Structure formats: structure tokens, C-alpha cells
Amino acid sequence: MNKIFLIIQREYLTRVKKKSFLIMSILGPLLFAAFLVVPTWLASMEDTEHKTIAVIDQSHLTYGVLEESEYLSFVYLEDVPIDSVKKDFKSSDYQGVLFVPTNILISNSPILYSDKQLSLSTRMQISNSIKDEIERQKLKAENIENLDEILKSVETKINLRNITWNDAGEERENSTEFAMGIGYIGGLLIYFFIFLFGAMVMRGVIEEKTNRIVEVIISSVKPFQLMMGKIIGIGLVGLTQFVIWVAFTLIISTVVQKTIMDDKTSTLMENMQSRDILADTPSIDENTDSGDNLQFVEEIFSSLHTLNFPLIIGMFIFYFLGGYLLYASFFAIIGSAVDNETDTQQFMLPVTIPLIIGIFVMINTIQNPEGPIAFWFSIIPLTSPIVMMVRIPFNPPVWEILLSVVILVLTFIGSVWMAGKIYRTGILMYGKKVGYKELWKWFRLKN
Amino acid sequence: MDFLSTHNIVKQYSNHLALNKVSINIQENSIFGLLGPNGAGKTTLIRIINQITAYDEGEVLIKGRKLKPEDVNFIGYLPEERGLYKKMKVGEQALYLAQLKGLSRSDAMRKIKYWFEKFEITGWWDKKVEDLSKGMQQKVQFVTTVIHEPKLLIFDEPFSGFDPINSNLLKREILELKEKGATIIFSTHNMESVEELCDHISLIHNAEVILEGQIEEIKQKYKTNICEVKYNGDPESLKAALTKDFELVEEKINHHSHIAQIKLNGNTNNSLLKTILPKVEVESFSELIPSMNDVFIRVVEETNKNKTDK
């Protein structure tokens, strides 16, 4: 038993000490942090440049209604043909020309000319202003008294809170978008980890075979010990990588957000800490772009509290290990059956296909986490690590989780046992092109 | 008492019989040669002794008791297909392999130091195996095989990849290990080294033991009763002197003397000498003893012939 620890130790240490592990450990979180931070950063960076838009309004509808802001202003041009403005555009100070035709009330299509694509928020701001004005004009035509007051009083903003309860009757507030995001990241990570570390097992087995050290080793330990030592050692490398990534991602994203989002962030952080108050009294000005942005980020952070993180992380580790053990045993079989990496192709397909199906089902599952497809593929052990992981943030029934867990455990015990039988024959076979029939024969050999 | 013996080992693979009732007996503190052509079943037998492969029938006994899984700790095995982790440092690797054989870390360290100093490879500790030449790798491999002071050593083609100087070093080490009490199984096609090292051999061919015994006995058994005589004088008078009891097999001239190979049909060396001494001046006289190489080829070919005759 002592010997298997020696093998685990070697497999673990040689990989953790490698430069590539260090690079992956740093690069991974940087990428994740970029995914988290860059969108908010881009949103906050947007439109800090001042823009002036020339307006040629033949309908005179927009006079005084186009809403100006810190970064956006309008200049109304009278009796100027659009063609001459277009011609002189290069030499002018305008960033764009807005053309509103006479029949705007019927056609509903103003045109914005510019030499560069204008940002979405600028376009939204302009089209919203015009839309509101056209709607107002149309309502006005209905001759309703006190229209403005009526409109103001009917204006409503909906804040849909989704509260679910479990069998014990406990209530829990959910954010669907966030659950989707977490499920998606979890499923993808598992897919990625299984591939990355499963293939590492396969390469390790091939390495021992081509280096011809395998016979030396199995004169000291049982082939099964060597295989399990390798699988467990590499699994621990995967876990270590995961823990480093989580820690680094948290550190980097916190640091970056703190520095980039300056004072606004501090309000945000305070708000995060008092989420309950926030729900009732939105404290940030909703009219500005950055305000909306911040509120969005805020919602994400506040949703963090609504998810059952111990369960999600616990299940992630379980499904990572379970899925990894299942697939690593397949990869170990492949490694033992071939003489070099180029021969692995023919066996890779049947291992890759269930994983890719898992990814496809995952996309479906995100939209419908309780549907029959989601259910069945989260029970089938070949796809359950990916698909069930996506469902976990949506709090699926406990019995479904348990069923999936039990089936996965039984399957990986079976697959490891099967791999052990094939492996011990395969590692001593050289110079033989092996097919599935041969593998089956090895599996049925007594010893 | 035999250190290791196998009794009627049978190993059947799906499409061929690898070992058919193979029995070998290896005396304690001796060097045992396991010989045979390629594909005879030597490697299968060695793997069975190493408990890498299981057998279908028979038994393997070590000092009279059945072989146990823990016994791998006192066996040192240098397989024909051997190698090391290329990316691992020499020292770490030796330490790892020694610990896999059940040595504690500190014991392993101490013994590695001893062997590395003996082989003058202490400076390689931090070198990666892939940076060493093939011969250097073989030295490291040898050290890792003997590091745990095994009572039973199994060498499968140990000299492949060694230059003559290192081969000699290796031979000396093998003999020294024997002196220290180890029992050694030695499998090779190099018959010269078999004659030099082995006390006892078994020849396996087509899954069966076809010849076994001590080297000297075997050679005596397979000698052809031919004497070689180097002489000065008239070959014709020599020929005339030979009666029907002596048969001239070959006659050639080397520089100024003649060499004749004469087969004795049931006679002794002395009677041949008596017959030829009056006729020619004898320079040297020797009985031709077959080399193990000759024996090997002869026995295997005879077995093949018998098989096709049947």
C-alpha cells in the first residue's frame, strides 16, 4: 500500500514542478479574470469621449427633445441640404449627422450618418429620445387630458424576484441568469478538466511504455497500483490547479475591480454587503449608462448570496473527480494499447463523442434545466458530470442528484476495474497494431 | 537446497503455448544461465518468476515455499526491454526506484551514494536521464537494479548497449554480487559470457527445456571426440599409420607445420598419440571441446529436425 503513495507522489510532484503547470496556473486565472472584468471595464470606459451630432430635422419634431448628456450634444442645422453636410463632414467637428425626414411619424426611420460606427449606447440614446417623442405625439393626437400626469402615474418598473422552496419548505431567492452563468462555467470547466487531465494520464502511460520503464516498475508494484497511482496523482494535480485558479481569480478580479472602478465600486461594495436594503432602495441614479451598468454588476454580486455555494463547489469537486476517474480509466486503456501518441486516434473518437454530446446537452439544459433531456443526460454517467453540474445551481431534486452520484460512482468503479485488466496486458505489448477485438480479448484474460 | 525452482510450469496464451511443463532448479549462490532461441519462452518464464505474468499450471518455489507477492522486494530485475524516465533526474529516479523496492528513504540514499561512488557517477545526480549517453544510462539502470541488495538477480541480455570496457565492469560486478551471496539468473544469446559466468544452464526451445546441466558436463557430453594434432613430418606416413579406429577428418597446413583433426572411434587420446608418435614429430596435441555456441546450435537444430521428421 505504501508503494502506491510513492507512485502518487512522483506523478504529482513531477507535474506540479513543471514550468507548464506554473504557466497554466497564472494564465488560467488571468483569462478568467479577464472574462469577469473586461466587460464591466469596457462598459465603464465607453463614451467618455465627447461627441457632437449635427441634426437636420425636416419634421422639426426633435427640436429640444434629443436628450443631451455629459458626452453627447446636438447641433441643429436649419435649411442645409443633407448632401452638403455629408460632403463637408470630414472637415467639420461633427462625429455624426442625424437626418430626420418630414414623414417621420409614418416612416419611423431617422438616419444617422457617421464615418465610424457609433457606440450602441449613443444610438440607443438617440433612438429612445425619438421614439419617446413620437409616442408622445401620437398620444397627444388622442386628445387626452392631463396626459403627462397619467403617464407618470402609470409608469412602472418590474422587479421580478424568483423564489423557490425546497422540500423542507425553506425559501430561497434565485437569480436565473446567474445560475445559468455558474452552471455554464462549471460544466465547461469539467469538460475541459476531463480532457486536459485525462489526456495527461494517457500520455503518462504512453511515456512509460515508450521509455520501456514499465517492466522495471511492474517488477516492483502491481500494474493496477501503477495505473491507480498515476490516475490519482494526476487527479490531485487537477485539483491543485483548480484551487490555485479559484484563489487567483478571486484575488485578481478583486484587485482589478478595486483599481478600475474607483469610487463607484466602493458604493457597490457597500451595497453588496447590505443587499437586503438595496433591494428596496435602489441608491444609484438609474438614468446614466454607467449607473445601469453598475446596477447590473451589483445584481450579479448580490446573486452570489442566493446560490448554494458549498453545494455547488462540493458537487463540482465530486463531478470533476468522478468524471475524471471514469474518463481517465478510458484514457489509461488507450495509452496501454498503443505504442505512440499518433496511434491513439482510432480510440479517441468513442471517448470524445460522449463528452461533446455532454456539451451540446449542456446548452439545452441551461434553457430548460428540468426537462427530460436534462434529466436523462444528468443520470447517464458518461455525460452526468457536465450536465448535472449545469443543473446544480438550479437546485434540482435531491433524489436526482443522489441517483446521478450513485450511478457515476458505480460506473467509475467498473471502468477502473476494466481498465486495470486491459492495462496490465497492454503495457507489455509492443509493435502490435491493436483493435477493439484485441482489447476485448485482453479484458477476458484471466491474468 | 535450491534457492528457486519451478515445477512443470504451463503457460498458455490464446494462440500458442508459451511454456510446456518447464522445470528449472537454481542452486543458491550460483549463476544460472537461461538460454534459448528468440521466442522460446525465456521472457515468459522470467516474467513468471517476477510475478508480472501469472501461470496456468505448476508452481514456483523459493527455498521450498511458494512465491509470495512481497518477494518482489528481494528480486532485482533488469529486463531486456528496459529504460528510465527520460525527464527525471538521475538521483531522484534511483531514489524512487529503490523506494519502490521497499527501501526507506534514508537507506536508499545511503546505498545510492555507495553505488554511485563505486561507478564514479556521483556527478550525474542532478542530470536528466535524457542528457546521458546510452552507455551511461545503462550504468544507472544497473545500479537501480542492484540497489536494494536483492538475493535473487535476474539479468535479461544485460550486456546489450555496453561497450567492451563497461561489459567487463559489469561482469566483474556480477561475479562480485555472486561472491556476496546473491543467486543470479542470466539470460543471454552471448554464449561467450555464458561460458565465462554461468555454473549451470537450462536451454529452452519451443516452450520446453531441451538441455540442462553444468557447463562442463554439457560440453563433455557434446564433445565430438576429435583431437587436433599439430606436427612436422610427412602427412602421408601419418595417414598410413591411422588404423580404422582413427578417422582423419581434416588436414591443413599452417606455416611450416601440418594440422590434422582426427576422430577417435572409441579409442583414448593416449592410443592415438602412441600410434602417431613414431611417424611424425608432434608439436601440440589437444582434444576439441565444443563451445557453448556449438552446443546451442547443435541441440536446437537437432530438435528442429526431429520435429520436422515427426
Side-chain angles (χ1 to χ4, degrees), chain A residues 3 6-7 10-11 17 207-208 211-213 215-222 428 441 446-447, chain B residues 14 47 51-52 54 56 72-73 77 79 81-86 88 96-97 99-101 141:
Chain A
K3 289 180 180 178
L6 283 168
I7 296 169
R10 193 200 84 87
E11 297 292 337
K17 281 191 209 155
E207 185 205 357
E208 278 168 357
N211 281 356
R212 314 261 160 159
I213 193 171
E215 197 169 344
V216 176
I217 304 274
I218 61 169
S219 70
S220 304
V221 301
K222 293 265 161 257
L428 292 173
K441 220 158 71 188
K446 272 180 290 153
N447 190 327
Chain B
S14 52
R47 283 183 181 165
Q51 302 180 67
I52 290 170
D56 301 321
V72 293
N73 284 352
Y77 177 36
E81 300 285 6
R82 55 185 173 250
L84 298 162
Y85 288 110
K86 292 214 163 18
M88 217 172 162
Y96 174 61
L97 292 172
Q99 282 178 287
L100 279 188
K101 278 291 181 190
Q141 188 108 45

Side-chain angles (χ1 to χ4, degrees), chain B residues 89-132:
Chain B
K89 286 175 184 164
V90 172
E92 276 175 28
Q93 183 140 242
L95 198 59
Y96 174 61
L97 292 172
Q99 282 178 287
L100 279 188
K101 278 291 181 190
L103 289 187
S104 71
R105 204 187 152 84
S106 53
D107 272 0
M109 273 300 237
R110 197 165 41 76
K111 284 174 182 167
I112 290 168
K113 275 203 184 114
Y114 166 78
W115 278 98
F116 273 32
E117 267 160 34
K118 186 166 185 184
F119 274 48
E120 294 166 353
I121 56 174
T122 314
W124 301 356
W125 187 276
D126 276 326
K127 274 197 182 153
K128 279 189 184 167
V129 171
E130 60 186 353
D131 298 331
L132 302 180

Side-chain angles (χ1 to χ4, degrees), chain A residues 7 21 55 295 297 327 436 440:
Chain A
I7 296 169
F21 180 83
V55 182
Q295 202 183 26
V297 174
Y327 279 95
Y436 290 104
W440 178 242

Side-chain angles (χ1 to χ4, degrees), chain A residues 131-360:
Chain A
K131 171 181 156 275
D132 287 350
E133 182 58 21
I134 292 175
E135 281 176 359
R136 215 175 60 82
Q137 292 290 332
K138 285 180 176 168
L139 280 170
K140 215 172 177 181
E142 303 283 336
N143 279 323
I144 302 167
E145 262 180 81
N146 300 330
L147 183 69
D148 287 350
E149 288 90 78
I150 294 171
L151 281 180
K152 209 160 216 160
S153 70
V154 297
E155 193 176 286
T156 321
K157 205 170 184 188
I158 292 295
N159 175 19
L160 180 67
R161 297 167 71 189
N162 185 357
I163 296 174
T164 54
W165 57 85
N166 59 14
D167 297 339
E170 289 166 24
E171 289 190 353
R172 194 165 194 96
E173 190 163 350
N174 279 317
S175 158
T176 315
E177 291 81 7
F178 200 66
M180 276 166 74
I182 288 286
Y184 194 74
I185 292 172
L188 268 183
L189 264 183
I190 287 202
Y191 168 83
F192 177 63
F193 270 43
I194 286 177
F195 250 121
L196 189 71
F197 295 102
M200 212 181 256
V201 169
M202 184 180 79
R203 277 199 304 275
V205 174
I206 295 174
E207 185 205 357
E208 278 168 357
K209 226 183 136 175
T210 51
N211 281 356
R212 314 261 160 159
I213 193 171
V214 69
E215 197 169 344
V216 176
I217 304 274
I218 61 169
S219 70
S220 304
V221 301
K222 293 265 161 257
F224 188 76
Q225 288 177 311
L226 177 60
M227 187 187 83
M228 274 325 279
K230 185 176 288 294
I231 289 178
I232 294 170
I234 293 175
L236 291 176
V237 175
L239 271 186
T240 311
Q241 185 103 77
F242 174 68
V243 170
I244 293 176
W245 280 1
V246 168
F248 261 34
T249 306
L250 286 180
I251 293 168
I252 293 174
S253 50
T254 318
V255 169
V256 170
Q257 271 183 339
K258 268 226 162 74
T259 47
I260 286 182
M261 297 189 69
D262 52 56
D263 49 10
K264 285 172 194 159
T265 319
S266 51
T267 5
L268 175 72
M269 294 296 174
E270 278 164 33
N271 285 331
M272 266 175 60
Q273 279 153 12
S274 51
R275 197 191 70 80
D276 293 330
I277 305 162
L278 176 97
D280 300 325
T281 54
S283 56
I284 291 165
D285 183 6
E286 287 166 24
N287 287 330
T288 62
D289 274 354
S290 53
D292 280 343
N293 248 324
L294 271 182
Q295 202 183 26
F296 171 68
V297 174
E298 205 169 281
E299 269 167 18
I300 288 184
F301 278 103
S302 60
S303 307
L304 278 171
H305 299 267
T306 70
L307 290 166
N308 187 350
F309 269 99
L311 176 77
I312 291 173
I313 291 176
M315 289 319 279
F316 178 86
I317 290 174
F318 171 79
Y319 279 112
F320 163 62
L321 289 178
Y324 164 77
L325 280 173
L326 178 61
Y327 279 95
S329 57
F330 295 149
F331 279 112
I333 293 176
I334 299 175
S336 73
V338 300
D339 286 350
N340 55 63
E341 227 175 311
T342 46
D343 290 343
T344 58
Q345 295 302 329
Q346 56 155 336
F347 295 111
M348 285 297 276
L349 200 63
V351 178
T352 323
I353 282 176
L355 279 173
I356 290 171
I357 290 175
I359 286 293
F360 277 114

Side-chain angles (χ1 to χ4, degrees), chain B residues 55-259:
Chain B
Y55 46 93
D56 301 321
E57 281 171 41
E59 57 182 353
V60 182
L61 299 178
I62 198 143
K63 288 189 158 179
R65 63 158 174 82
K66 273 203 149 192
L67 199 61
K68 286 185 297 193
E70 307 84 79
D71 293 339
V72 293
N73 284 352
F74 65 74
I75 299 180
Y77 177 36
L78 185 68
E80 186 176 4
E81 300 285 6
R82 55 185 173 250
L84 298 162
Y85 288 110
K86 292 214 163 18
K87 307 254 175 220
M88 217 172 162
K89 286 175 184 164
V90 172
E92 276 175 28
Q93 183 140 242
L95 198 59
Y96 174 61
L97 292 172
Q99 282 178 287
L100 279 188
K101 278 291 181 190
L103 289 187
S104 71
R105 204 187 152 84
S106 53
D107 272 0
M109 273 300 237
R110 197 165 41 76
K111 284 174 182 167
I112 290 168
K113 275 203 184 114
Y114 166 78
W115 278 98
F116 273 32
E117 267 160 34
K118 186 166 185 184
F119 274 48
E120 294 166 353
I121 56 174
T122 314
W124 301 356
W125 187 276
D126 276 326
K127 274 197 182 153
K128 279 189 184 167
V129 171
E130 60 186 353
D131 298 331
L132 302 180
S133 74
K134 186 126 192 271
M136 290 156 108
Q137 290 183 20
Q138 296 283 13
K139 267 191 184 176
V140 176
Q141 188 108 45
F142 181 81
V143 171
T144 60
T145 308
V146 300
I147 195 77
H148 55 294
E149 292 169 1
K151 287 188 219 140
L152 178 64
L153 273 156
I154 303 173
F155 295 114
D156 199 347
E157 290 296 348
F159 301 115
S160 68
F162 275 98
D163 60 34
I165 296 169
N166 281 323
S167 286
N168 271 337
L169 176 81
L170 202 63
K171 272 179 203 162
R172 272 207 309 278
E173 288 305 328
I174 291 174
L175 288 171
E176 205 181 308
L177 286 165
K178 183 191 162 189
E179 258 167 50
K180 282 182 185 162
T183 307
I184 295 160
I185 300 177
F186 185 51
S187 172
T188 182
H189 289 130
N190 180 344
M191 291 302 145
E192 238 173 82
S193 57
V194 170
E195 286 187 40
E196 241 175 290
L197 297 171
C198 295
D199 303 307
H200 198 272
I201 64 123
S202 280
L203 178 65
I204 297 182
H205 183 43
N206 288 334
E208 286 174 35
V209 177
I210 56 168
L211 178 69
E212 61 181 327
Q214 281 180 349
I215 298 264
E216 284 315 308
E217 282 173 12
I218 289 172
K219 282 184 172 179
Q220 287 297 324
K221 193 175 155 196
Y222 283 89
K223 71 178 182 187
T224 46
N225 292 322
I226 292 174
C227 291
E228 193 174 80
V229 185
K230 199 173 174 190
Y231 64 94
N232 282 323
D234 184 10
E236 290 307 316
S237 64
L238 179 87
K239 259 184 221 169
L242 293 174
T243 60
K244 64 171 172 33
D245 290 338
F246 308 107
E247 187 189 324
L248 185 65
V249 184
E250 208 183 327
E251 164 80 48
K252 58 189 176 192
I253 298 171
N254 183 12
H255 299 292
H256 300 294
S257 41
H258 298 270
I259 297 169

